[in-house]
Amino acid sequence: GCTEVSCFQDAECIDAIAPEIGAKCPPCPTGYSGDGSKCADIDECANNTVNICEQKCINTQGSFMCACNSGFELNSDETTCRDIDECITNRHDCDHVCANVVGSFNCSCQYGFILQSDNRTCEVDPDRMCPINNDCEQLCALEITDNLGSGSGSVISKLVCSCLNGFTLDANMKTCTDIDECASKETTPCNQICTNIDGGFECSCMNGFELESDGFTCVDIQECLQPSVCNATQVCEDTPPGSFSCLCPPGSVMSKEGICVVPLVPVPSPSSSVTSFPSPSFVGITPSPSPILITDTERGNAVIVTLSGITLEEFTDERQEAFRNITAEAINSYCRNTPNECNVLSLTDDGSRKREIQQTFRQLFKRQNIAVVSTDDIVITSIENTNDGLRVTFFVRGVNGDVSGVISAEVVEEALQQAVDDGLYSTNGFTVVSVMLAFPPSPTPGDDDEGLFDNQFLIIVIGVTVGIFLLLVIIVVLVFCLAYRKHRKRVLKFVENDNVTIRNVAYIHGKP
């Protein structure tokens, strides 16, 4: 079956339908010949029936393309060629005068000048050299006339003025005026932007295009072939003409920070995670061969470092590598000196610290004394210009041995702040403005509040003690009163002749 068949360019194999056995490959693609399993390129240029190019044919894999000889260019049908008028389009280097010929051009000189051996430059004829002080603005030559017919045998000479290439002689036959080659499409070879200058012109391109080596033609920049266009989590896609898009891989969405993350629910449409840019006028993060998927734990332990004195364009791959090296060195130094402060968060749970991972992490420093953070563990997720400086967001992952996870953002922040104070960044050409957590924790009582809480606790204890004491006093008083009432009769009533007499009688030792 198909498990035993390998098709050309990994084409999908077709299993035979029972009762037949085996499998077969689809036909070779257009421009190739073979049995589908092995396909060879067809040289279309060697076949006069297929080769319809007027001048040159260039064979390519699976196809071909036409080209023209020097001095010609392809027509819109991309098969025939037309002559380039180098003189009208200013694609020549003649010193004085240009004359177009089929496939090329010829140079000549103004009156009184001689064409040099390079067939381009002109030098004045020594016999026709004008005085230094003459009325011609640019070029001057003497026109000599024999005056023998007058009977005097003398020679008459007069000044003949002319202009350099790119200028035209004015009506006064002395001064020259610049020709505006950009005035019309017929006189400029620039296919986008033409800027007129004295005696010539300059071509430039619109945003998203670049000028080819001929100095006239602009082509679309293939931004996605350049490094650092999108961040490491995104995929680049060209959107001609002159632009590109950074989008997230299927199954992920773009967060508000511009990072592609895997959501907890299915992604409804990739179009919701596209960020478009008008031009590639920046350098960012070098994309990985495959997109990096960032977990919630990694994202939640990101740190932001703000740098001054450097822009996004200046933060090249080399500068990024240096920054990551310094950052890794700072974390390793901090954790080596204070291993008990360095915690690793597991990637397998919701960010809770695992004691066994912490222990292993600390043992790497204490016993093996090795660096557990490498340059590759500093994962930069975004870089952007802000009013405060260049803002670099990253998290730190990975340790040596069997330990894997993310170093907590609090540890990274403390390590980097210590490195800044020690001058580690400044000595390596980085000015750090601030180091902060990308996602600060919820406010909790700080050290300054602990004394207040201790005093409050003491007051509560004293209050409870006093309350208990007062309660005991009240109980004792009540017991005493009840006992006193029981053992003392305070009122006796005597009834005599329907009159009531009240006497106080005290009992002493049980006797009235």
Side-chain angles (χ1 to χ4, degrees):
C2 285
T3 57
E4 302 174 353
V5 176
S6 176
C7 297
F8 181 69
Q9 292 183 343
D10 295 328
E12 186 176 355
C13 172
I14 304 173
D15 281 311
I17 302 176
E20 297 181 5
I21 59 174
K24 63 178 181 179
C25 294
C28 292
T30 303
Y32 293 86
S33 63
D35 59 3
S37 175
K38 296 182 179 179
C39 301
D41 174 58
I42 299 174
D43 187 356
E44 293 86 357
C45 295
N47 188 332
N48 293 330
T49 304
V50 180
N51 180 7
I52 57 175
C53 298
E54 181 181 21
Q55 291 187 0
K56 289 182 178 181
C57 178
I58 302 174
N59 184 58
T60 60
Q61 286 293 315
S63 186
F64 70 99
M65 60 185 299
C66 298
C68 299
N69 298 322
S70 177
F72 295 85
E73 60 186 0
L74 277 175
N75 286 311
S76 57
D77 60 9
E78 296 186 350
T79 58
T80 59
C81 300
R82 65 176 179 270
D83 173 56
I84 298 174
D85 190 336
E86 294 86 357
C87 299
I88 292 180
T89 59
N90 290 285
R91 301 188 187 187
H92 66 88
D93 53 355
C94 296
D95 217 2
H96 287 182
V97 182
C98 173
N100 185 63
V101 296
V102 177
S104 186
F105 62 93
N106 292 327
C107 297
S108 59
C109 300
Q110 299 284 7
Y111 179 83
F113 289 79
I114 301 173
L115 187 66
Q116 301 302 296
S117 58
D118 61 2
N119 292 322
R120 297 289 186 271
T121 57
C122 298
E123 295 290 342
V124 64
D125 185 343
D127 297 331
R128 298 181 182 275
M129 188 174 295
C130 294
I132 295 177
N133 296 321
N134 58 74
D135 294 333
C136 297
E137 182 181 8
Q138 290 187 356
L139 304 175
C140 178
L142 290 176
E143 183 181 5
I144 302 174
T145 303
D146 189 354
N147 197 27
L148 293 177
S150 63
S152 64
S154 62
V155 177
I156 299 175
S157 62
K158 66 176 183 177
L159 299 178
V160 178
C161 298
S162 56
C163 300
L164 296 170
N165 180 54
F167 296 85
T168 182
L169 190 64
D170 294 333
N172 60 16
M173 306 303 290
K174 295 179 181 180
T175 59
C176 299
T177 300
D178 173 59
I179 299 173
D180 186 358
E181 295 86 356
C182 302
S184 66
K185 294 182 178 179
E186 290 73 21
T187 59
T188 174
C190 304
N191 70 344
Q192 285 195 357
I193 301 173
C194 178
T195 304
N196 185 63
I197 59 176
D198 283 345
F201 63 95
E202 292 179 346
C203 295
S204 57
C205 301
M206 296 184 294
N207 211 11
F209 294 82
E210 61 183 355
L211 197 64
E212 286 197 320
S213 58
D214 62 4
F216 311 111
T217 309
C218 295
V219 294
D220 181 25
I221 297 174
Q222 299 297 316
E223 294 89 354
C224 292
L225 298 180
Q226 300 179 356
S228 309
V229 174
C230 300
N231 70 44
T233 68
Q234 299 170 339
V235 178
C236 182
E237 182 178 278
D238 280 304
T239 54
S243 186
F244 68 99
S245 296
C246 292
L247 58 141
C248 292
S252 63
V253 295
M254 190 175 298
S255 67
K256 62 182 180 180
E257 291 82 14
I259 300 173
C260 296
V261 295
V262 178
L264 298 178
V265 296
V267 182
S269 172
S271 62
S272 62
S273 57
V274 176
T275 301
S276 297
F277 301 89
S279 68
S281 58
F282 63 88
V283 179
I285 306 168
T286 304
S288 303
S290 59
I292 299 176
L293 298 180
I294 299 176
T295 66
D296 291 340
T297 303
E298 292 170 332
R299 179 174 175 271
N301 282 276
V303 175
I304 300 174
V305 174
T306 303
L307 305 173
S308 67
I310 187 171
T311 63
L312 192 61
E313 293 77 10
E314 296 168 340
F315 201 50
T316 60
D317 291 343
E318 292 76 13
R319 295 294 286 161
Q320 290 182 40
E321 185 73 11
F323 175 82
R324 292 163 63 215
N325 280 331
I326 297 169
T327 302
E329 180 182 346
I331 297 172
N332 286 326
S333 176
Y334 176 81
C335 291
R336 187 175 292 110
N337 294 329
T338 57
N340 290 330
E341 300 296 328
C342 292
N343 295 326
V344 179
L345 306 183
S346 171
L347 296 179
T348 58
D349 58 12
D350 296 331
S352 59
R353 291 173 171 80
K354 286 194 170 182
R355 184 179 300 276
E356 61 272 16
I357 290 183
Q358 295 181 33
Q359 285 297 113
T360 307
F361 184 69
R362 294 164 185 168
Q363 289 170 2
L364 287 172
F365 284 117
K366 286 185 175 180
R367 299 178 183 178
Q368 301 179 27
N369 194 29
I370 62 175
V372 298
V373 176
S374 67
T375 302
D376 293 336
D377 294 327
I378 311 300
V379 182
I380 299 177
T381 58
S382 68
I383 306 174
E384 59 180 330
N385 283 322
T386 66
N387 293 332
D388 298 327
L390 187 66
R391 174 172 166 168
V392 183
T393 305
F394 62 93
F395 64 87
V396 184
R397 66 155 55 141
V399 290
N400 289 338
D402 297 329
V403 182
S404 62
V406 183
I407 298 181
S408 66
E410 291 82 358
V411 171
V412 176
E413 180 190 28
E414 184 67 26
L416 299 192
Q417 192 59 61
Q418 181 174 308
V420 171
D421 296 340
D422 294 341
L424 181 61
Y425 282 92
S426 59
T427 56
N428 287 275
F430 292 100
T431 303
V432 177
V433 177
S434 65
V435 180
M436 58 184 292
L437 302 180
F439 301 97
S442 301
T444 56
D447 294 338
D448 294 338
D449 299 330
E450 291 181 359
L452 178 61
F453 290 158
D454 291 342
N455 292 335
Q456 292 175 344
F457 180 74
L458 180 60
I459 293 173
I460 292 173
V461 171
I462 294 175
V464 171
T465 304
V466 172
I468 294 173
F469 175 78
L470 292 177
L471 181 61
L472 291 175
V473 170
I474 292 172
I475 292 173
V476 170
V477 171
L478 289 175
V479 171
F480 177 80
C481 289
L482 290 175
Y484 182 79
R485 185 180 182 86
K486 183 178 180 181
H487 295 285
R488 181 177 178 178
K489 185 175 181 180
R490 303 180 60 186
V491 179
L492 294 176
K493 295 181 180 180
F494 295 91
V495 180
E496 294 178 359
N497 299 324
D498 294 330
N499 294 323
V500 177
T501 301
I502 301 176
R503 296 179 182 176
N504 287 332
V505 179
Y507 284 86
I508 302 176
H509 302 293
K511 297 180 181 179

